[in-house]
Amino acid sequence: MGSATTNTTSSSTADTTGDAAGTGGVLLEVTGLRKHFPIKRGIIFQKQVGLVKAVDGLNFTVRRGETFGLVGESGCGKSTTGRLLTRLLRPTDGQIVLNGQDISYLPQRQVRPIRRDMQMIFQDPFSSLNPRHTVGSIVGAPFRLQRVETEGGIKRAVQELLELVGLNPEHYNRYPHEFSGGQAQRIGIARALALRPKLMVCDEPVSALDVSIRAQIINLLQDLQEEFDLTYVFIAHDLSVVRHISDRVAVMYLGHIVELGEARQIYQHPLHPYTHALLSAIPISDPDVDQARERILLTGDVPSPLNPPSGCPFRTRCWKAQDICRTERPPLAEKATGHQVACHFPEDRALIPASDR
Amino acid sequence: MTSLLEVEDLRVRFSTEDGVVRAVDGVSFEVDRGQTLGIVGESGSGKSVTSLAIMGLLRGRFTVEGSVTLGGDELVRADPDFVRELRGNRMAMIFQDPLSSLHPYYTVGNQIIEAYRLHTGATKRVARKRAVDLLGRVGIPQPEGRIDDYPHQFSGGMRQRVMIAMALACDPELLIADEPTTALDVTVQAQILNLIADLQEEFGTAVILITHDLGVVAGVADEALVMYAGRPVEHGTLRQVFYEPRHPYTWGLLSSVTRLDREPEHRLRPISGNPPSLIDVPSGCPFHPRCPYRMLPEPCSTEVPEYAPVNGGHLVACHLSEQERTETFARDILPRVQSSVRKGG
Ligand SMILES: Nc1ncnc2c1ncn2[C@@H]1O[C@H](COP(=O)(O)OP(=O)(O)O)[C@@H](O)[C@H]1O
Ligand SMILES: Nc1ncnc2c1ncn2[C@@H]1O[C@H](COP(=O)(O)OP(=O)(O)O)[C@@H](O)[C@H]1O
Ligand code: SF4
Ligand code: SF4
Ligand SMILES: [Mg+2]
Ligand SMILES: [Mg+2]
């Protein structure tokens, strides 16, 4: 293992791009974003019996043309965040500024035109495709909904899109069930791409796919990004997929971002104990490398978001927890340029073997 | 010299409205006491049907051919009562979704106690004590307090622990774990895999671990068997399959995975196309429509490649000669699949 004190080159290059919010470099700016779901009981007089703090105060920016990865285990608030960003959900609190426009509380009627700029891709490709519609009508829907004129008609535009995502344009009249999972995901991507959005929020787009198909879709997303200057928010629970595709990564736990930085910082110099545990748990397809590395086995389960711990959300499973962790929530603070962590006792710990440290 | 479990030329077919599904088509392998065999392959490659056939748990309109012996006892042609007797006693299985095999209306304690008593004839008191021991052993905190809880009162990871406790109640010689961690978060997956490895060491159980994740196999198995379209295509020790793989499908899998120990700039090399339907399996080598190294039309689309040893116990089903395979691997594949760590030194 290399020394943990060396600085990465990427942290110094980050200076030049900087976190200059408000400049042309930033596409999306999120401040204090919260989503709390009331839990109600009772049939006639619904009484609120609890509050799920699914997303509880997120701050981050997404730069034009980058892939911003959002990782964490199930229930930590990734999908809720994605749905807030694309305004499928209305925030409880906080701000979302897309392309200089505050879209946080726009009524749905006014959100629709913005959908041209931001689209979402989902984990289960089939459930997001209407089984009674042909591929042609699914992929062409955005043109009709947004009343967009296309050169040569919608059919031609759709066939070009199908070709772009690697589907046979002659399959225009087929139904979703006639396609495999990987192909259905391509259909979802074609639909999302139709109006040439600036931002694509991809919510676990490859999690349900087999490894060979997963690789096809990852490559496709990378090619499309290059061709159309797309910005991705890429949500996944698989840290190796996220590392492969992301420029910057935010690690979430119980509705909070606990660590955020350049991919290289997060993977080579992780500072938060939860990031350490996640990294040490990801299997590596090389027996010697996998079996030789350090393991951190967490005990217990993620606490219920209905009743989150006081102070640091990770303290109930953290082997480093002290009294202060129970009483004070650590703020997300910058520890190196562009590298933020929310922990009272951060520590640079090398957990994945790498030759390029 | 015989192994605990010997599977020979196992074939399972289902007749369905759409035609005959050749779900398992000539699978052979052995597993010894204290050994873990990892079976990998994409969905629909016949992994679950193989394990259900071994356990005598197939349902529907099916035919089974070939032979499965556990400690010398033949299971394929055996009386179903005999196989039921072995199940839970000498062999047990855990599934991806523990809820599918736990009864929702009985407490977990009850289910473990019943399973244990059925197989050992122990008294209720003895069985209850054993159940508490087992729940503690698999890492359920305060097992005395949890034994009278119902399955839905446990989290996903805890339920999988309960399943493991139940499977181990009678000290089985063989444990089949079919995607036991696929539905779990990675930190919980790490706990469960660790638990299975510990218990195996303690009880000397033979384990078959089925997964679509090559990394899981790399972490816990002794040997790996790669399946494609219902057939075994490669089988060897971990070193053989990961460091000297000889089948183009295995190469494709290894080139498709994202890895933490590799430079992220590395471009993935997916396998083109999709896995075939098992109703309409391609002629010759079933992988030939997707194989970059196929020789067409002969022999790859006309002759089924023999599943034969290439060196030592390393088995491969491919028409390429050993020389072609080693050269191609060194030239095209190794630079892509090698860990950055290894390349560095
Ligand atoms: N509509 C809803 N009503 C109540 N709780 C919800 C709703 N949507 C999500 N949640 C809860 O919010 C938390 C975060 O969920 P989610 O954003 O889906 O997490 P992830 O995508 O990271 O798995 C979970 O505890 C989930 O149960
Ligand atoms: N009861 C059944 N009837 C008909 N076909 C089945 C049945 N069970 C499995 N199959 C088919 O057998 C093939 C192998 O399935 P399976 O063993 O479950 O794959 P895997 O576990 O590798 O994903 C698939 O094509 C599946 O559709
Ligand atoms: S703040 Fe305390 S409990 Fe939280 S991660 Fe850091 S050390 Fe652990
Ligand atoms: S037999 Fe032919 S088609 Fe099949 S894997 Fe070998 S080279 Fe490829
Ligand atoms: Mg989600
Ligand atoms: Mg299966």
Side-chain angles (χ1 to χ4, degrees):
Chain A
M1 304 269 131
S3 137
T5 51
T6 47
N7 238 323
T8 56
T9 47
S10 51
S11 62
S12 47
T13 53
D15 276 336
T16 51
T17 41
D19 238 303
T23 72
V26 173
L27 177 64
L28 184 72
E29 195 171 358
V30 172
T31 330
L33 187 63
R34 291 197 155 75
K35 182 68 189 178
H36 295 174
F37 295 106
I39 300 299
K40 294 180 176 155
R41 291 273 154 72
I43 298 164
I44 301 170
F45 300 105
Q46 288 225 321
K47 208 177 123 209
Q48 185 175 323
V49 295
L51 201 59
V52 179
K53 298 182 173 176
V55 168
D56 204 22
L58 306 186
N59 297 296
F60 61 91
T61 56
V62 179
R63 301 170 190 153
R64 254 173 242 283
E66 80 169 340
T67 299
F68 185 82
L70 212 49
V71 289
E73 295 178 286
S74 53
C76 69
K78 303 181 297 296
S79 295
T80 303
T81 305
R83 297 164 71 84
L84 287 166
L85 299 182
T86 48
R87 279 305 321 276
L88 294 170
L89 286 173
R90 187 186 156 87
T92 306
D93 194 13
Q95 253 197 343
I96 305 165
V97 176
L98 176 73
N99 220 3
Q101 183 186 5
D102 186 340
I103 63 167
S104 329
Y105 305 98
L106 288 182
Q108 280 305 311
R109 194 169 30 81
Q110 289 175 40
V111 170
R112 183 172 293 170
I114 297 167
R115 287 263 148 73
R116 292 189 61 161
D117 286 341
M118 58 178 191
Q119 286 288 321
M120 196 151 172
I121 310 173
F122 299 91
Q123 168 169 1
D124 179 357
F126 289 105
S127 72
S128 63
L129 305 176
N130 187 328
R132 287 186 301 274
H133 290 182
T134 63
V135 169
S137 104
I138 290 170
V139 177
F143 296 117
R144 284 186 291 273
L145 282 172
Q146 301 275 357
R147 304 208 169 88
V148 173
E149 296 294 323
T150 54
E151 240 177 275
I154 290 182
K155 178 165 179 182
R156 175 116 172 260
V158 169
Q159 291 190 324
E160 278 170 17
L161 280 165
L162 292 180
E163 192 139 27
L164 196 62
V165 299
L167 290 170
N168 184 343
E170 281 157 28
H171 292 170
Y172 185 88
N173 280 321
R174 296 200 178 176
Y175 290 89
H177 74 265
E178 297 176 68
F179 294 87
S180 67
Q183 289 169 324
Q185 194 55 285
R186 290 176 194 268
I187 298 171
I189 294 171
R191 175 180 56 187
L193 214 58
L195 302 174
R196 300 287 136 86
K198 296 192 174 67
L199 174 70
M200 283 239 242
V201 175
C202 312
D203 190 0
E204 310 257 10
V206 297
S207 304
L209 304 175
D210 271 316
V211 39
S212 71
I213 310 298
R214 179 180 294 186
Q216 294 173 6
I217 299 293
I218 290 174
N219 283 359
L220 173 66
L221 288 171
Q222 289 184 322
D223 292 344
L224 293 173
Q225 177 166 45
E226 188 141 312
E227 187 162 349
F228 299 110
D229 280 331
L230 292 167
T231 304
Y232 289 143
V233 171
F234 191 94
I235 298 175
H237 64 273
D238 183 333
L239 273 90
S240 65
V241 171
V242 168
R243 177 190 198 217
H244 182 80
I245 200 162
S246 305
D247 300 299
R248 289 190 308 138
V249 175
V251 181
M252 287 185 72
Y253 190 78
L254 267 186
H256 299 271
I257 290 178
V258 296
E259 182 160 7
L260 190 159
E262 307 262 338
R264 203 164 279 267
Q265 295 172 325
I266 299 288
Y267 289 85
Q268 314 291 27
H269 300 280
L271 297 172
H272 197 282
Y274 179 59
T275 314
H276 296 155
L278 278 180
L279 286 174
S280 91
I282 300 281
I284 294 179
S285 303
D286 182 314
D288 287 346
V289 177
D290 192 82
Q291 291 174 13
R293 75 207 159 112
E294 188 184 353
R295 299 270 177 194
I296 300 169
L297 279 184
L298 287 181
T299 49
D301 288 329
V302 182
S304 159
L306 268 170
N307 187 17
S310 63
C312 171
F314 187 57
R315 73 166 167 83
T316 55
R317 301 168 83 197
C318 184
W319 59 96
K320 295 174 70 178
Q322 306 283 322
D323 276 350
I324 187 177
C325 305
R326 185 168 40 81
T327 52
E328 269 179 51
R329 174 144 82 231
L332 189 64
E334 185 148 336
K335 285 287 176 303
T337 311
H339 191 175
Q340 302 170 299
V341 63
C343 173
H344 293 302
F345 308 102
E347 173 190 1
D348 184 343
R349 208 165 154 187
L351 279 150
I352 54 170
S355 61
D356 56 340
R357 292 175 61 86
Chain B
M1 214 189 73
T2 55
S3 295
L4 174 71
L5 178 76
E6 296 189 355
V7 176
E8 214 183 302
D9 202 22
L10 184 69
R11 289 167 200 271
V12 181
R13 286 176 201 179
F14 295 99
S15 39
T16 69
E17 279 176 20
D18 299 324
V20 175
V21 181
R22 292 163 182 273
V24 176
D25 203 10
V27 168
S28 303
F29 60 81
E30 298 174 6
V31 193
D32 235 325
R33 288 182 180 79
Q35 293 285 300
T36 298
L37 172 69
I39 302 186
V40 279
E42 296 179 276
S43 49
S45 58
K47 305 182 298 294
S48 294
V49 172
T50 300
S51 48
L52 294 172
I54 294 169
M55 298 291 298
L57 285 172
L58 290 170
R59 298 289 175 264
R61 292 175 54 203
F62 63 88
T63 57
V64 191
E65 287 167 50
S67 156
V68 174
T69 57
L70 181 73
D73 290 322
E74 171 62 48
L75 304 186
V76 168
R77 287 175 296 278
D79 181 25
D81 285 340
F82 175 70
V83 180
R84 190 173 317 124
E85 179 69 31
L86 292 191
R87 209 161 51 225
N89 223 343
R90 287 172 53 196
M91 56 185 188
M93 184 160 171
I94 55 181
F95 301 88
Q96 173 174 339
D97 175 14
L99 275 188
S100 68
S101 31
L102 288 171
H103 199 294
Y105 299 139
Y106 295 96
T107 64
V108 303
N110 245 318
Q111 297 183 57
I112 299 174
I113 291 166
E114 282 315 305
Y116 186 61
R117 293 190 64 204
L118 193 69
H119 289 286
T120 59
T123 64
K124 262 201 173 132
R125 261 195 48 208
V126 170
R128 188 177 169 90
K129 191 169 169 301
R130 169 91 175 154
V132 170
D133 282 352
L134 278 165
L135 288 175
R137 190 66 199 77
V138 298
I140 306 265
Q142 289 132 20
E144 304 84 1
R146 306 271 351 230
I147 186 166
D148 296 316
D149 284 351
Y150 293 89
H152 73 263
Q153 292 171 290
F154 291 82
S155 69
M158 287 296 158
R159 261 181 229 138
Q160 199 55 283
R161 289 172 193 266
V162 170
M163 265 309 299
I164 294 172
M166 209 156 118
L168 293 177
C170 310
D171 262 333
E173 296 159 64
L174 171 70
L175 176 70
I176 303 185
D178 187 356
E179 309 258 8
T181 57
T182 303
L184 305 175
D185 279 319
V186 299
T187 58
V188 183
Q189 163 168 289
Q191 296 167 357
I192 298 290
L193 293 176
N194 204 50
L195 172 65
I196 293 176
D198 275 0
L199 294 171
Q200 174 180 43
E201 196 157 309
E202 188 175 329
F203 299 106
T205 323
V207 174
I208 298 178
L209 180 76
I210 294 177
T211 171
H212 62 277
D213 188 339
L214 284 163
V216 168
V217 172
V220 300
D222 300 298
E223 292 187 7
L225 169 67
V226 183
M227 285 185 70
Y228 187 77
R231 299 181 200 174
V233 296
E234 178 153 14
H235 180 178
T237 61
L238 279 198
R239 305 208 77 76
Q240 289 169 334
V241 173
F242 283 89
Y243 301 138
E244 298 165 2
R246 288 292 177 262
H247 195 282
Y249 178 62
T250 313
W251 296 344
L253 286 181
L254 289 168
S255 312
S256 295
V257 289
T258 49
R259 275 168 47 168
L260 283 183
D261 62 329
R262 205 155 51 191
E263 320 264 341
E265 296 76 29
H266 186 97
R267 175 128 173 128
L268 299 178
R269 297 281 199 100
I271 305 169
S272 63
N274 290 289
S277 145
L278 297 189
I279 293 181
D280 194 13
V281 181
S283 61
C285 170
F287 187 55
H288 86 256
R290 305 175 75 190
C291 180
Y293 305 101
R294 65 194 167 196
M295 297 162 278
L296 291 181
E298 285 177 355
C300 294
S301 73
T302 53
E303 271 172 59
V304 177
E306 193 192 350
Y307 183 49
V310 288
N311 60 51
H314 192 175
L315 291 156
V316 176
C318 173
H319 286 303
L320 294 173
S321 71
E322 175 61 4
Q323 193 190 344
E324 287 166 320
R325 283 192 287 247
T326 32
E327 284 175 9
T328 310
F329 177 71
R331 187 186 64 234
D332 287 4
I333 313 299
L334 187 63
R336 274 190 242 153
V337 301
Q338 208 172 24
S339 167
S340 307
V341 186
R342 289 175 174 282
K343 254 188 271 180

